[in-house]
Amino acid sequence: MDLTSLTTIDLPPTADFHCHLREGAMMEFVTPITTGGCDTIFVMPNLEKPIVSVAQALAYHQELSRLAPNVRFLMSLYLHPDVTTDEIELAAKTNIIFGVKLYPAGVTTNSHHGVRDIKQYYPVFAAMQKILEHVSTKDGVDAVKQCGPNVRGTITAHHLWGTIEDAERDVFNFCKPIMKTYEDRLALIRAAIDGSSKFFFGSDSAPHPIHSKTEKGRAAAGCFTQPWCTSLVIGAFERAMSLGWIRKDVPREAIEGFLSRYGRIFYKIAQPDQEPTSKRSIRLERKGERIPKSIKSSDGTVEVVPFRRDEEVMTLTWLN
């Protein structure tokens, strides 16, 4: 599938297995526009008051579904001493909560409630499937490949596009984990299209108000990508092909697998063409669209600057 020569691409809906939709005014603003070609979005629980109970997760799910009723939101709990084994068993029965997320204390947004002594959770981990979220290095890729079948990794759109030089030049490219070297970026691109099913897409889209990204010496970490995430991933693959980093005959199955199918298999949810109530697909076309320099809520109270602002991107439309 030579992306450099195509003007139109039809694909199954993307599934985003790692996304931040925030709360309050930011949630109200970004959730209705955060589809990016996705019919399924796995939502992170690191809110100001972290999601540590089934009741909290279900209430958050209700809010998000009100704002974007055509998206299936998969919810998660925030690993914390308050998350008991009974709570995890209850979560597993909901068909809404699909995971428990580990945040090392103090390393990212709203992680001050996170894990300080990981050893206390070793017995729990032994019985769980595990995801290495937003893999950012060649070493991370190699680690996931070397682990057994119960370990997978997610890869973001921005790590497929950028390196540490991009983060140094532009605060809106600053994220955690930070973008690394060209060698790391190349390893991520090759892992994403290798067809092994060990890696699938998780945007780690993380919107921040513009002032929190530009405050001197205290820039918030996170790239906002979700409304354009499918187009960004395809664009990164196309760029890699044009540079000769990857072959131009990447199988369609590998691209669809990374964006849509492998994560669904891992989490045991139906493929889009198996859903009796939804057989939609998406189309990407070259129409000269550019990612906006910023987006602002209708009342002007929330403004967010997207990743790769003012860069050309394929236009996405829903079919069926």
Side-chain angles (χ1 to χ4, degrees):
M1 189 177 185
D2 181 2
L3 299 175
T4 64
S5 64
L6 295 177
T7 58
T8 301
I9 310 167
D10 290 353
L11 295 167
T14 296
D16 180 354
F17 284 95
H18 188 117
C19 185
H20 299 271
L21 294 177
R22 307 306 191 201
E23 56 199 308
M26 181 65 79
M27 176 192 72
E28 295 280 343
F29 175 45
V30 301
T31 302
I33 62 172
T34 17
T35 60
C38 300
D39 66 350
T40 301
I41 296 177
F42 203 139
V43 184
M44 297 299 101
N46 59 324
L47 307 184
E48 290 185 13
K49 183 179 181 181
I51 304 294
V52 297
S53 72
V54 170
Q56 284 178 287
L58 296 181
Y60 190 24
H61 179 269
Q62 187 173 22
E63 288 187 278
L64 298 174
S65 298
R66 169 181 60 83
L67 294 167
N70 292 326
V71 177
R72 180 182 183 183
F73 293 106
L74 312 180
M75 310 307 291
S76 56
L77 300 179
Y78 186 113
L79 188 62
H80 185 273
D82 290 349
V83 180
T84 64
T85 54
D86 288 343
E87 198 72 10
I88 292 174
E89 289 176 3
L90 180 61
K93 297 175 182 177
T94 64
N95 201 35
I96 290 174
I97 303 169
F98 280 79
V100 181
K101 299 297 178 177
L102 186 160
Y103 292 89
V107 301
T108 191
T109 304
N110 295 332
S111 63
H112 46 283
H113 297 287
V115 172
R116 298 182 185 277
D117 179 13
I118 195 171
K119 292 181 180 179
Q120 66 179 305
Y121 296 103
Y122 280 2
V124 178
F125 295 159
M128 298 175 70
Q129 292 185 315
K130 291 169 277 290
I131 299 286
L132 180 58
E133 300 281 21
H134 35 61
V135 180
S136 63
T137 64
K138 181 180 182 299
D139 287 344
V141 168
D142 292 341
V144 171
K145 288 181 176 179
Q146 291 166 14
C147 289
N150 67 329
V151 176
R152 297 289 191 275
T154 60
I155 299 175
T156 77
H158 50 279
H159 285 99
L160 294 176
W161 267 107
T163 65
I164 191 168
E165 287 83 3
D166 297 295
E168 290 171 341
R169 284 194 297 263
D170 187 347
V171 70
F172 295 104
N173 295 336
F174 173 57
C175 59
K176 291 183 179 179
I178 198 164
M179 301 168 189
K180 306 297 195 305
T181 67
Y182 277 99
E183 180 186 22
D184 294 314
R185 180 183 169 198
L186 177 56
L188 295 174
I189 291 171
R190 288 177 173 169
I193 52 90
D194 72 3
S196 71
S197 81
K198 290 286 282 185
F199 300 91
F200 47 84
F201 179 61
S203 71
D204 195 26
S205 179
H208 289 280
I210 189 169
H211 63 81
S212 71
K213 293 288 287 183
T214 55
E215 186 176 358
K216 188 174 182 180
R218 297 186 60 186
C223 296
F224 181 52
T225 59
Q226 224 293 328
W228 307 274
C229 64
T230 304
S231 299
L232 284 168
V233 170
I234 293 297
F237 292 159
E238 179 190 358
R239 178 66 173 160
M241 289 179 183
S242 68
L243 292 171
W245 291 0
I246 57 174
R247 65 185 190 275
K248 291 186 177 181
D249 60 341
V250 174
R252 169 182 282 271
E253 293 76 14
I255 294 174
E256 292 186 2
F258 175 72
L259 280 169
S260 183
R261 301 192 186 280
Y262 298 153
R264 299 179 205 261
I265 292 170
F266 184 78
Y267 283 104
K268 298 181 175 61
I269 62 177
Q271 299 292 335
D273 48 11
Q274 297 172 339
E275 290 279 8
T277 59
S278 174
K279 294 190 179 293
R280 296 186 298 169
S281 58
I282 56 176
R283 174 169 291 168
L284 302 179
E285 299 175 275
R286 299 187 196 280
K287 293 185 174 182
E289 178 183 344
R290 289 187 176 275
I291 295 174
K293 294 180 180 179
S294 72
I295 56 173
K296 188 179 293 187
S297 61
S298 58
D299 62 4
T301 60
V302 181
E303 184 176 8
V304 182
V305 174
F307 178 70
R308 288 187 63 78
R309 64 193 183 281
D310 205 30
E311 295 288 344
E312 190 168 327
V313 69
M314 295 184 83
T315 298
L316 186 146
T317 54
W318 286 88
L319 306 176
N320 303 340

